[in-house]
Amino acid sequence: MFLEFKFLEKKIWYDIRLHQYDLIHVNELQVHGWSIKPIYFIIFANLQKREGYTLFCESRNYKILIKYSDFDSGDVVRYFGEMNEFASTREDIPFEFKGRDIYYSVITCGMPLFYLSKSAMKKRTEEITYKVNLLNTALDVDSDGYLIFSDKMNYLDATERVYLMYYVGMFITKLICDKIFGFDYLVHLGIARKYMSIQINTNKQPDLIAFNVDDDGYSVFEAKGRTRIDNRMFNYAKNQVRSIKWISGSRPLNGIVSAVYPYNNRVKCHLKDPDIIEGKEFDISKLDLIWLYYEPIFTILREKRKNDEKEYKYEYTTEPKKNKYITSVIELEKNKSITISMNPKLYDFFDKFDFDIDRKDKKYELQRLKDILGTQKGLNIEISGN
């Protein structure tokens, strides 16, 4: 079955059997008299109007394959000890997680799109929807619960596949950073460089800095999403993670290359931990890193408050309940939504705090922020309509 529509007075035929969501390179379409407006660079047009397309269910288990190399024996036990039945091979290790985990990665990870094109970004809520659509376009699930690369990828050109693979690599790296390596926070270095004008004296910087609030441990991650991998890619990525030797006076615990690619069409992640021999200092306060992590979510909630006619009235609580956390609901599709909530004390901290202060004052404010995060969960993310 084909659908006919006009664009710039030219007839275009679209085979609706191929995709549920098509990827179209135009600014606006008129389909049988109704308009499809674009979301950033690739348009996700729901031409078939099916319901229930969103791939991930919050409570369902999913799996990918893991391979690891170049880790010392202590780190093998520390990070992969629970996978000990596969310790002899170190590859094709099943790694299981919940749907809510991948949603959390999508919402909290990666280079915000407005850094790619500021004119394209209007609202951060649209950015979340866009990233979920990216994931749903790139991935599917096989009968054994493994994530696989969708057949829809076959209809994309090379540039489009690179773009989607970049984000799949980023989302899977955030997931692994949390679930395997135990880091709650992952911040893109590009954000630090552009948003806060922080400089690093190297042209081969890695993608991400991972850290926790309560200690001085950091790790450096380079995320790669590829249709295939080779030694040249790994060698370049190793040089990227080796480029940072110190982060605010602390030596990184690891410099990890995370390469995501198809293996018999299943999603596989190869993790490498090369030695950091030489590198530069990356000087940024932990307070600034925490701000950069939460800022996209804070902006979503601030947009909601500005557009809401009623003022928020909430009371402090140790449990994330409705009307007590600062909340925004993002509609993904009919009967499907993501609810993002922030600890109200955390919201007030970011809303009132002036980040243009000296390092001494930042130490005091960091302790105040630690106290807030120590008594209440910073974010709560719920998916409805599974």
Side-chain angles (χ1 to χ4, degrees):
M1 180 178 179
F2 290 87
L3 180 68
E4 177 188 343
F5 59 89
K6 287 185 177 181
F7 174 66
L8 297 179
E9 303 304 320
K10 294 181 180 180
K11 286 186 178 181
I12 301 174
W13 292 88
Y14 168 70
D15 187 347
I16 67 174
R17 296 172 299 179
L18 297 183
H19 303 298
Q20 183 166 355
Y21 283 78
D22 190 24
L23 309 182
I24 305 170
H25 300 279
V26 294
N27 290 328
E28 188 171 66
L29 302 179
Q30 294 290 329
V31 181
H32 287 266
W34 53 276
S35 174
I36 302 174
K37 294 185 178 180
I39 302 179
Y40 320 118
F41 316 108
I42 302 175
I43 300 173
F44 288 79
N46 187 359
L47 297 177
Q48 288 181 284
K49 294 295 180 181
R50 293 181 186 170
E51 296 182 9
Y53 175 69
T54 304
L55 173 64
F56 294 99
C57 297
E58 181 178 19
S59 58
R60 181 178 172 182
N61 291 331
Y62 300 90
K63 292 181 286 187
I64 63 172
L65 295 171
I66 296 290
K67 177 180 179 179
Y68 63 90
S69 58
D70 298 340
F71 288 83
D72 64 36
S73 58
D75 282 346
V76 167
V77 173
R78 179 181 180 185
Y79 300 127
F80 307 103
E82 295 182 359
M83 307 174 186
N84 53 15
E85 63 179 298
F86 300 94
S88 60
T89 62
R90 297 191 175 192
E91 62 179 297
D92 296 345
I93 304 170
F95 171 69
E96 193 170 78
F97 55 92
K98 298 284 188 182
R100 69 175 70 95
D101 299 325
I102 194 69
Y103 275 120
Y104 199 92
S105 297
V106 170
I107 292 168
T108 60
C109 179
M111 173 75 89
L113 293 169
F114 73 92
Y115 292 123
L116 302 178
S117 176
K118 291 186 178 181
S119 62
M121 176 52 58
K122 293 182 179 179
K123 292 184 178 180
R124 293 289 179 83
T125 53
E126 294 175 356
E127 179 186 347
I128 299 298
T129 305
Y130 175 73
K131 288 181 176 180
V132 171
N133 284 338
L134 280 177
L135 203 64
N136 289 329
T137 299
L139 300 181
D140 212 328
V141 184
D142 69 14
S143 58
D144 294 320
Y146 281 94
L147 296 189
I148 60 174
F149 287 95
S150 170
D151 290 341
K152 293 187 288 293
M153 295 280 281
N154 297 330
Y155 299 99
L156 306 180
D157 64 30
T159 301
E160 293 166 334
R161 286 195 294 271
V162 167
Y163 187 76
L164 264 66
M165 288 300 298
Y166 166 81
Y167 274 99
V168 171
M170 192 72 67
F171 300 149
I172 296 298
T173 298
K174 174 60 169 71
L175 177 72
I176 286 170
C177 176
D178 177 9
K179 298 301 178 182
I180 292 181
F181 296 98
F183 287 105
D184 296 328
Y185 295 84
L186 194 67
V187 171
H188 202 293
L189 279 173
I191 300 176
R193 294 187 68 176
K194 294 185 179 183
Y195 187 73
M196 305 195 75
S197 300
I198 295 172
Q199 299 299 317
I200 177 171
N201 297 320
T202 177
N203 294 323
K204 295 181 179 180
Q205 73 172 42
D207 283 328
L208 305 153
I209 289 180
F211 63 98
N212 288 320
V213 171
D214 293 328
D215 58 51
D216 293 327
Y218 297 88
S219 280
V220 177
F221 282 78
E222 173 61 23
K224 299 291 186 186
R226 294 288 188 272
T227 54
R228 66 181 186 87
I229 59 173
D230 54 32
N231 288 333
R232 183 177 62 177
M233 182 277 294
F234 272 120
N235 289 335
Y236 187 83
K238 286 179 181 181
N239 289 332
Q240 287 177 281
V241 297
R242 285 169 173 162
S243 67
I244 296 181
K245 191 173 183 179
W246 303 96
I247 302 173
S248 299
S250 295
R251 186 178 177 87
L253 299 173
N254 306 92
I256 295 170
V257 177
S258 171
V260 178
Y261 60 100
Y263 180 76
N264 294 330
N265 205 40
R266 286 179 171 174
V267 176
K268 186 171 181 177
C269 181
H270 188 166
L271 299 166
K272 282 182 172 284
D273 182 23
D275 292 331
I276 300 177
I277 303 170
E278 296 181 356
K280 305 295 184 180
E281 165 81 10
F282 188 75
D283 191 16
I284 182 172
S285 72
K286 182 166 285 189
L287 185 64
D288 289 334
L289 285 173
I290 295 171
W291 159 247
L292 291 173
Y293 179 85
Y294 282 112
E295 190 272 342
I297 306 300
F298 173 77
T299 301
I300 288 173
L301 298 171
R302 185 172 57 187
E303 288 171 357
K304 176 67 168 62
R305 296 191 86 178
K306 287 182 178 179
N307 295 329
D308 201 332
E309 294 181 355
K310 297 180 180 180
E311 293 184 358
Y312 282 88
K313 293 183 179 180
Y314 53 84
E315 57 186 278
Y316 297 147
T317 176
T318 57
E319 296 294 330
K321 297 179 180 178
K322 283 188 175 181
N323 302 322
K324 295 186 178 181
Y325 267 42
I326 310 299
T327 299
S328 180
V329 178
I330 300 174
E331 299 293 335
L332 298 178
E333 59 185 61
K334 186 176 180 180
N335 300 323
K336 184 83 172 184
S337 63
I338 295 177
T339 301
I340 303 174
S341 304
M342 180 176 281
N343 174 340
K345 291 183 180 179
L346 183 63
Y347 182 95
D348 286 347
F349 179 90
F350 291 137
D351 194 37
K352 298 174 182 177
F353 180 61
D354 179 10
F355 282 83
D356 189 21
I357 58 176
D358 60 35
R359 186 173 292 272
K360 181 179 179 181
D361 291 331
K362 284 186 177 182
K363 288 183 178 180
Y364 169 78
E365 294 297 338
L366 176 60
Q367 185 57 54
R368 194 161 69 90
L369 186 54
K370 286 181 178 180
D371 292 341
I372 293 172
L373 294 171
T375 56
Q376 281 184 271
K377 187 177 179 180
L379 290 178
N380 187 57
I381 296 173
E382 297 178 353
I383 297 92
S384 63
N386 292 306

